[in-house]
Amino acid sequence: MADTAFNPYAEGIDHVELNPDAKSVHILDQTQLPNREIYKDVSTPEECYEAIKKLEVRGAPCIGIFAGYAMVVMAQPYAELPYADFKAKMAELSAYLNSSRPTAVNLSWALRRMEGVIAAHEGESTPAIIEAMRQESLAIHEEDIAMCRRIAEYGLTLVKDGDGILTHCNAGPLATSKFGTALGPILLGEEQGMHFHVFSDETRPLLQGARLTSYELAKAGVDVTCICDNMASIVMKNGWIQACFVGCDRVAANGDFANKIGTSGVAILAKHYGIPFYTLGPTSTIDMNCPTGDDIKIELRNPDEIKEMWYKEPMALPEVKAYNPSFDVTDHELLTAIVTDKGIVYPPFDVNLKKLFAEEE
Ligand code: MRU
């Protein structure tokens, strides 16, 4: 367990990495932040599943990167199997991992990519296929770094020095590879000598805004103020917010998007106060096979995360029910633009998202 001081922007330190022997994935356990920077290695299918489920690795792009590495690691015990058996075993393990969290599309996207490699290398030895999977998993990671960097560049054109920016949950380096999505423009601006005042919603119930976003921004020297989720309206009314930047877990073909629970409320407030509201995400988070937000499956989590997780004693009677959806869908009509690695997409989103992918072909 390496317990190094964590600087999300330093070269060479990463919060999700494939170990050199490809037998385990090295992760920073995000559930321990901000008080403990604990790294651990995960290798069995159950450990990989739990790492996603418990949010030790979290954030849509980061889950995708982790899933790629997990497939390589889980393949190791089956290097002796003939092709058909290996392919079937990996399909089973992929489905298992995919069942850990349903909302972020990057998980199934990365798993499909890894299964695609197995299909494309039919006829080669199983160790050679595993090596091709390793290469693919590293490529997923590298591509995410490049995509986040481009998102940061595009996003920075939307704000000016001194702006107040409100963000929800954590869409920083910890949720991706490096740079982050929603936090990317802020960090890039800071690197270029600009200064922003960031309001970080604490983000009930799992406190990603307090524990992770505030942590990342403070470490990077950005002026950050943590607020409870129900304080977004007052800071907007006070005139302290010039733009809202949030991440996304799945963008539907019409521009509706799922992100951490509470995001849609922030978007409604932003509309009320006339503040531009942006979601920022890589093209791997856009699901053109998902027509609208109604087609996005929302993860429901354990009610105890609301009732007792952060308290010395439970804050509701045992018989009190708690409803704990992990995400909500923001209607595309509340969205000013989607900032992607391929450019900024404005309404009409159904038309312009199609164009974005058509340009790729
Ligand atoms: O439940 P989490 O912590 O994985 O939720 C994360 C979010 O909702 C992020 O905003 C989203 O994944 C985008 S990360 C770049």
Side-chain angles (χ1 to χ4, degrees):
M1 185 189 301
D3 206 350
T4 12
F6 176 66
N7 174 351
Y9 315 104
E11 288 300 323
I13 299 176
D14 236 321
H15 55 287
V16 52
E17 272 179 319
L18 185 64
N19 276 323
D21 63 4
K23 290 192 173 148
S24 55
V25 195
H26 191 59
I27 58 169
L28 173 64
D29 180 353
Q30 297 192 32
T31 64
Q32 300 294 317
L33 291 172
N35 299 315
R36 287 167 294 281
E37 291 155 356
I38 308 283
Y39 288 81
K40 64 193 274 194
D41 290 330
V42 291
S43 53
T44 66
E46 293 73 22
E47 285 169 352
C48 293
Y49 176 98
E50 288 298 319
I52 300 176
K53 183 89 190 161
K54 290 183 179 160
L55 275 56
E56 290 171 355
V57 281
R58 48 145 302 280
C62 185
I63 293 170
I65 294 162
F66 175 79
Y69 288 151
M71 285 289 276
V72 178
V73 165
M74 294 188 303
Q76 300 299 335
Y78 304 106
E80 306 291 316
L81 286 184
Y83 178 77
D85 295 348
F86 177 74
K87 188 177 178 208
K89 187 71 205 172
M90 292 316 296
E92 184 191 306
L93 289 170
S94 168
Y96 172 60
L97 218 55
N98 197 33
S99 66
S100 56
R101 296 190 79 189
T103 306
V105 70
N106 306 62
L107 175 58
S108 56
W109 170 87
L111 292 169
R112 244 195 338 271
R113 256 180 85 156
M114 298 304 287
E115 287 196 73
V117 170
I118 299 172
H121 288 261
E122 181 167 7
E124 294 179 26
S125 72
T126 305
I129 296 174
I130 296 176
E131 174 53 23
M133 290 170 68
R134 192 181 72 86
Q135 296 294 342
E136 186 75 359
S137 66
L138 294 170
I140 290 173
H141 196 158
E142 285 304 314
E143 287 166 24
D144 190 72
I145 294 173
M147 289 195 287
C148 286
R149 178 74 195 191
R150 287 196 294 273
I151 289 168
E153 287 163 3
Y154 285 121
L156 191 55
T157 65
L158 299 169
V159 282
K160 55 181 196 322
D161 194 24
D163 274 356
I165 299 172
L166 185 135
T167 190
H168 190 76
C169 192
N170 172 260
L174 285 165
T176 62
S177 46
K178 252 181 202 171
F179 309 122
T181 55
L183 300 192
I186 298 164
L187 296 168
L188 183 63
E190 203 72 23
E191 205 178 89
Q192 296 179 358
M194 295 167 76
H195 298 294
F196 303 108
H197 309 282
V198 180
F199 288 85
S200 167
D201 281 354
E202 141 193 81
T203 318
R204 286 281 300 160
L206 293 181
L207 310 185
Q208 289 92 332
R211 295 189 303 106
L212 309 176
T213 296
S214 307
Y215 165 88
E216 289 185 310
L217 293 177
K219 286 236 170 197
V222 176
D223 175 6
V224 57
T225 304
C226 184
I227 55 171
C228 298
D229 297 349
N230 54 6
M231 298 171 187
S233 178
I234 194 169
V235 297
M236 289 184 185
K237 190 171 185 184
N238 287 351
W240 297 345
I241 307 297
Q242 280 66 54
C244 298
F245 280 176
V246 299
C248 40
D249 284 81
R250 189 182 299 247
V251 180
N254 71 342
D256 293 350
F257 72 99
N259 192 51
K260 179 53 52 194
I261 189 73
T263 302
S264 69
V266 176
I268 291 165
L269 289 173
K271 179 124 186 156
H272 178 76
Y273 290 109
I275 297 165
F277 182 89
Y278 303 101
T279 187
L280 301 88
T283 36
S284 54
T285 306
I286 302 173
D287 185 356
M288 293 304 280
N289 295 319
C290 176
T292 74
D294 291 343
D295 305 294
I296 300 175
K297 185 165 182 205
I298 300 294
E299 173 186 6
L300 287 177
R301 294 185 64 87
N302 189 335
D304 291 347
E305 291 178 349
I306 295 177
K307 290 171 62 177
E308 45 189 275
M309 184 158 176
W310 304 108
Y311 305 117
K312 279 204 180 116
E313 50 189 354
M315 284 297 131
L317 291 173
E319 63 269 33
V320 173
K321 289 183 280 183
Y323 170 54
N324 189 12
S326 192
F327 300 92
D328 62 20
V329 170
T330 299
D331 193 285
H332 63 275
E333 287 184 1
L334 299 169
L335 189 53
T336 308
I338 305 170
V339 183
T340 79
D341 50 290
K342 296 190 191 304
I344 303 175
V345 183
Y346 289 95
F349 294 113
D350 52 349
V351 175
N352 291 337
L353 282 173
K354 244 188 224 146
K355 275 193 198 153
L356 190 79
F357 285 96
E359 281 158 15
E360 224 176 47
E361 286 155 12

